[in-house]
Amino acid sequence: MYLRKLFSVRHTLAFRLTLWYAGIFTVSSCVAFLLFYMLITSVIRERTDEELLGQVGQFSTLLSLKGIETVKRVAILEAQAAGVKKIFFRLLYPSGEAFSSSNMSYWKDIGVRRIAIERLLSGSSHMFETIVIPERKHKVRILYSMIGPGIILQLGQSMENYFRFIEAFKRIFITTMSLLIVLAAGVGWFMARRAVSGVEAVTRTARNISGGALEKRVPVKTRGDEIDQLATTFNQMLDRIQTLVSSIKEMSDNIAHDLRSPITRIRGIAEVTLTTGKSVAEYENMAASTIEECDRLLDMINTMLLISETEAGVDRLTREEMDISGLVRDACELFEPTAEDKGVRMSCNVPDACRIFADIRMVQRMLANLLDNAIKYTPSAGTVAVSVHEDEGQQVVVSVKDTGIGISPDALPHIFERFYRCDQSRSQAGIGLGLSLARAIAQAHGGGITVISNPNQGSTFTVTLPKSLPSAS
Ligand code: ADP
């Protein structure tokens, strides 16, 4: 169980982030160590070389002032004072043969380099050499220098102290770094866990939702960071999905309800005719009523399909240049007799011509729905005023204003929803799809539809349509 958990941790983002963090930290620490190490060793070498050169300078002055015997004596004394294992010296002839030296028992493995002598003879003032004696870990720095005519000094200095210093430095560095790397991995793990905890919350919520809890939301902190933005976007998406799911459910309820009535009616008529009808005329009546009910059903299904098709996008429209003034005028003329029958006065106020790019059939359908509603929901002696005007040359505004029953503020936000019908209009014919279609058509053209209404005073529906074709984007 524990092993399985450990194994699954390996695949987490937090684990990978921690690895990266610790890895980058280790690499940069090693680079820093290397640079520091190189700097220290080069400084130490320079210091040693300076010391050796200083001593050679002293011996050559001593030689010119006091002679070779004094040089020999002082050199031996100095070597003894520093420690036999610390420094040594040899005085050489140009042939490389030693004529004096300090106690060389510790340094017996170190010989005279021929090449160094040759260099000095060819004019170089001094030459350095670094030697590693295999059985001793530390190095020896050696200086060859001509301190007087025909006298060469070989001066060697053990770098044991520096070696110890560097070894200590290495040890401290490795211990500190190991601790720091463990600490960095811990801090990295903690930070990575904190960073991905928000993502985990989103995942948990998504898992709950796939289990059916669509009302669950991801908790959003107030930090406003990327995780909060992800959570907010995720919650917005869930809101939208929930709204869509409930509207689909509502719509299917409405469809079921709206289908049930005509089908029940068809069944009722058929049943009554079968049980009581004897004459051909009664069967003819039944057939006529069935056709009528079927037409209503077909009309509803076709309108729903048309709404879906129109909502699917602009590219489904057949746009062409048309005169909206003429179209509105024709529609008014078409509805005039219906309005007259109801005792409703119609007025039509449109400019001579107003050209737009639109789908004529769709715009006709939209106008018909608006005019039909305006007359249907306006009692006799009322008025319906239709007007068209251009708005700053960019779009055309068509308004249908009536003095009818109006719409209550509660119902107003819902009237464009499919199958929605206000309570007071249920006695009127209709299926509640006219305004949904009108809005889908206006929006597919890149326009919109709004309504202002007061109960018992009337309603004004305003459609805006862009004059030109929308840009390709
Ligand atoms: P319907 O087939 O019921 O007319 P619509 O989608 O055209 O369906 O309209 C939805 C509802 O909006 C109607 O049932 C009605 O209650 C209300 N409505 C639409 N137009 C008007 C109007 N001009 N005056 C008052 N109420 C209206």
Side-chain angles (χ1 to χ4, degrees):
M1 181 71 190
Y2 180 74
L3 269 177
R4 252 188 39 208
K5 207 171 163 195
L6 202 71
F7 188 73
S8 67
V9 163
R10 277 179 46 199
H11 298 287
T12 60
L13 180 64
F15 182 74
R16 267 180 293 160
L17 282 175
T18 310
L19 266 192
W20 272 102
Y21 185 67
I24 290 171
F25 184 80
T26 312
V27 170
S28 27
S29 309
C30 287
V31 171
F33 169 76
L34 263 180
L35 290 176
F36 203 47
Y37 180 80
M38 276 156 60
L39 185 80
I40 288 184
T41 45
S42 89
V43 167
I44 286 174
R45 210 181 41 240
E46 270 170 32
R47 285 273 303 278
T48 314
D49 291 355
E50 273 167 23
E51 276 176 29
L52 290 173
L53 280 172
Q55 274 179 318
V56 165
Q58 281 175 14
F59 284 124
S60 88
T61 320
L62 210 60
L63 179 68
S64 58
L65 294 177
K66 302 268 169 78
I68 188 68
E69 287 311 317
T70 315
V71 170
K72 281 186 201 170
R73 215 175 43 251
V74 172
I76 291 168
L77 282 175
E78 282 214 359
Q80 278 170 354
V84 175
K85 294 182 181 176
K86 291 278 184 301
I87 62 168
F88 71 86
F89 81 92
R90 271 192 190 118
L91 288 168
L92 310 166
Y93 291 123
S95 60
E97 190 196 333
F99 63 89
S100 174
S101 73
S102 59
N103 182 353
M104 292 300 284
S105 54
Y106 188 72
W107 308 102
K108 56 182 179 301
D109 296 332
I110 297 175
V112 176
R113 286 262 283 179
R114 206 55 257 153
I115 188 146
I117 307 271
E118 277 163 18
R119 285 252 183 97
L120 293 182
L121 293 177
S122 64
S124 297
S125 64
H126 58 263
M127 194 192 134
F128 284 104
E129 183 188 19
T130 306
I131 288 180
V132 183
I133 303 170
E135 54 272 23
R136 291 175 216 153
K137 281 188 196 151
H138 57 267
K139 296 174 182 170
V140 184
R141 189 78 170 151
I142 297 172
L143 170 65
Y144 293 87
S145 182
M146 192 75 93
I147 55 169
I151 298 171
I152 296 168
L153 174 66
Q154 183 196 31
L155 191 58
Q157 182 168 335
S158 158
M159 292 175 82
E160 193 181 352
N161 281 349
Y162 300 128
F163 173 78
R164 285 223 189 91
F165 171 74
I166 286 174
E167 280 302 298
F169 167 72
K170 263 197 225 164
R171 251 194 329 272
I172 291 171
F173 184 87
I174 289 169
T175 322
T176 319
M177 271 305 119
S178 311
L179 289 175
L180 278 181
I181 287 167
V182 173
L183 190 74
V187 171
W189 175 252
F190 173 73
M191 275 164 37
R193 293 282 313 151
R194 257 182 80 92
V196 298
S197 66
V199 181
E200 280 174 359
V202 177
T203 315
R204 259 198 312 277
T205 311
R207 210 172 283 144
N208 282 338
I209 288 163
S210 56
L214 199 60
E215 72 292 339
K216 283 259 179 340
R217 293 293 177 271
V218 184
V220 181
K221 310 243 168 57
T222 46
R223 292 190 300 244
D225 56 13
E226 289 86 343
I227 300 292
D228 277 354
Q229 284 169 18
L230 172 73
T232 312
T233 315
F234 189 72
N235 287 346
Q236 282 168 350
M237 191 185 75
L238 287 178
D239 288 346
R240 177 102 183 97
I241 291 174
Q242 201 177 12
T243 315
L244 281 177
V245 168
S246 46
S247 74
I248 288 171
K249 190 181 166 303
E250 206 173 295
M251 202 170 75
S252 52
D253 287 353
N254 284 331
I255 293 173
H257 182 265
D258 279 74
L259 285 178
R260 199 173 56 181
S261 314
I263 290 172
T264 314
R265 274 199 299 273
I266 292 170
R267 196 187 176 284
I269 296 165
E271 198 175 18
V272 168
T273 316
L274 270 182
T275 49
T276 62
K278 301 279 179 282
S279 65
V280 174
E282 277 171 294
Y283 279 100
E284 280 176 355
N285 270 346
M286 181 197 81
S289 305
T290 309
I291 289 172
E292 209 177 291
E293 292 294 347
C294 285
D295 279 350
R296 214 174 298 159
L297 275 175
L298 274 176
D299 186 41
M300 185 179 99
I301 293 165
N302 285 337
T303 313
M304 275 170 57
L305 285 175
L306 190 63
I307 294 173
S308 307
E309 218 172 87
T310 316
E311 281 179 349
V314 186
D315 36 327
R316 307 259 172 134
L317 300 175
T318 328
R319 283 166 173 254
E320 54 192 298
E321 196 178 4
M322 59 172 248
D323 175 21
I324 183 100
S325 294
L327 204 80
V328 170
R329 222 178 285 122
D330 292 348
C332 288
E333 273 169 25
L334 199 74
F335 278 87
E336 187 73 55
T338 323
E340 230 169 71
D341 284 352
K342 248 196 114 177
V344 173
R345 203 167 57 78
M346 272 191 81
S347 69
C348 185
N349 180 15
V350 296
D352 286 344
C354 179
R355 311 204 73 78
I356 64 166
F357 277 91
D359 186 317
I360 299 181
R361 204 171 54 86
M362 291 291 194
V363 177
Q364 267 172 343
R365 194 90 203 244
M366 179 179 68
L367 282 173
N369 283 344
L370 294 177
L371 288 176
D372 183 49
N373 278 350
I375 297 167
K376 197 162 64 176
Y377 299 117
T378 304
S380 61
T383 55
V384 171
V386 187
S387 68
V388 173
H389 70 268
E390 281 184 42
D391 183 11
E392 291 172 0
Q394 296 300 313
Q395 48 186 13
V396 165
V397 181
V398 181
S399 101
V400 178
K401 182 175 183 191
D402 65 56
T403 57
I405 59 171
I407 303 161
S408 71
D410 294 345
L412 210 56
H414 303 288
I415 57 164
F416 293 103
E417 289 168 13
R418 276 174 237 203
F419 294 107
Y420 184 83
R421 305 197 72 205
C422 301
D423 289 339
Q424 75 268 36
S425 51
R426 293 208 182 268
S427 54
Q428 300 277 357
I431 50 172
L433 288 175
L435 285 182
S436 311
L437 180 61
R439 184 178 64 171
I441 293 172
Q443 287 179 346
H445 280 85
I449 182 166
T450 55
V451 59
I452 298 171
S453 186
N454 289 308
N456 301 320
Q457 288 182 22
S459 317
T460 305
F461 285 86
T462 309
V463 178
T464 49
L465 294 172
K467 286 189 76 180
S468 51
L469 287 169
S471 61
S473 66

